[in-house]
């Protein structure tokens, strides 16, 4: 098997109270809801269907990610602080419509985040993650268990796009995306695979 045949799989955590309410959830360490736990269990169907080869599982440190990995049947081999969600600073715990009351055109991808991370900082963090998993992909499929916005940032950077283009890759709670190669070029092999319908 060629080195570039191994896959990088992204799994977003299951539903929390704040994700259900579409509140920005970065540093706040919320548990999964009962529905989120069910979503994580059904994600196992997707992951099992991928027939992963000797998978290495790396999780965000947040409990919603670690628990999702466990419930999906792929407990984390290690935790990586760089897989944490975007730091939303002053926008933690509030929704995009609330932010747009004073900044009408705001998005996380194109706006500023007072007290939080810039897109450039998130891009650098995503690049660090990808640089670290690169050598692992020579011998394993790798599963990264994390969050919505940061997983989308990882997709953008894997595809050599600016991090703001993560806006084009919506991910459902407990959604799975598969990154890989085609003729030595990095590619998106599958996106937002779900075994539940709540977020469609």
């Amino acid at each position: 098997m060629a080195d570039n045949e191994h896959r990088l799989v992204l799994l977003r955590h299951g539903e929390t109270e704040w994700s259900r309410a579409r509140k920005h959830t970065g540093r706040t360490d919320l548990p999964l809801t009962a529905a989120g736990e069910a979503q994580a269990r059904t994600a196992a169907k997707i992951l099992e269907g991928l027939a992963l080869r000797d998978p290495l599982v790396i999780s965000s440190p947040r409990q919603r990610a670690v628990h999702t990995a466990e419930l999906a049947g792929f407990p984390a081999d290690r935790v990586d602080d760089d897989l944490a969600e975007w730091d939303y600073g002053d926008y933690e715990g509030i929704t995009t419509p609330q932010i747009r009351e004073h900044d009408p055109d705001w998005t996380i991808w194109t706006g500023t985040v007072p007290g939080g991370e810039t897109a450039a900082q998130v891009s650098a963090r995503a690049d660090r993650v990808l640089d670290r998993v690169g050598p692992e992909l020579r011998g394993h499929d790798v599963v990264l268990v994390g969050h919505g916005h940061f997983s989308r940032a990882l997709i953008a950077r894997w595809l050599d796009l600016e991090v703001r283009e993560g806006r084009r890759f919506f991910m459902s709670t407990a959604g799975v995306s598969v990154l890989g190669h085609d003729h030595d070029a990095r590619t998106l092999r599958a996106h937002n695979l779900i075994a539940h319908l709540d977020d469609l």
Side-chain angles (χ1 to χ4, degrees), residues 129-145:
V129 170
L130 295 175
D131 286 345
R132 282 198 295 274
V133 301
E136 302 289 359
L137 287 169
R138 295 177 190 141
H140 313 265
D141 287 328
V142 176
V143 181
L144 302 180
V145 187

Side-chain angles (χ1 to χ4, degrees), residues 9-53:
V9 178
L10 308 181
L11 169 62
R12 184 187 174 190
H13 66 76
E15 180 194 82
T16 68
E17 291 287 352
W18 281 16
S19 69
R20 181 169 60 196
R22 297 191 176 275
K23 294 180 179 181
H24 290 91
T25 318
R27 298 181 304 260
T28 307
D29 202 5
L30 295 174
L32 300 177
T33 62
E37 291 181 342
Q39 290 173 351
R41 291 187 189 98
T42 60
K45 298 175 185 177
I46 300 294
L47 295 172
E48 290 166 3
L50 293 175
L52 297 172
R53 306 179 192 101

Side-chain angles (χ1 to χ4, degrees), residues 62-192:
R62 303 291 180 254
Q63 63 172 314
R64 58 193 182 271
V66 172
H67 195 37
T68 293
E70 293 168 348
L71 292 174
F74 289 82
D77 296 297
R78 66 175 186 250
V79 166
D80 186 340
D81 289 343
D82 274 340
L83 283 174
E85 181 59 293
W86 200 306
D87 185 341
Y88 299 118
D90 296 349
Y91 292 159
E92 181 81 0
I94 61 176
T95 65
T96 294
Q98 289 172 316
I99 297 165
R100 286 180 173 174
E101 289 174 5
H102 61 83
D103 190 351
D105 297 321
W106 185 87
T107 75
I108 189 65
W109 305 105
T110 58
T112 58
V113 184
E117 285 183 292
T118 65
Q121 288 171 321
V122 170
S123 182
R125 189 153 57 87
D127 288 349
R128 288 198 302 268
V129 170
L130 295 175
D131 286 345
R132 282 198 295 274
V133 301
E136 302 289 359
L137 287 169
R138 295 177 190 141
H140 313 265
D141 287 328
V142 176
V143 181
L144 302 180
V145 187
H147 307 273
H149 282 141
F150 192 69
S151 292
R152 294 162 70 179
L154 285 168
I155 293 170
R157 295 306 298 143
W158 177 264
L159 299 175
D160 295 321
L161 302 173
E162 292 184 14
V163 75
R164 69 178 181 175
E165 298 307 325
R167 60 189 167 164
R168 305 187 189 280
F169 303 103
F170 174 79
M171 283 191 76
S172 302
T173 47
V176 174
S177 291
V178 183
L179 308 177
H181 294 83
D182 180 56
H183 298 294
D184 298 320
R186 287 180 171 185
T187 189
L188 179 62
R189 296 181 60 169
H191 180 59
N192 201 36

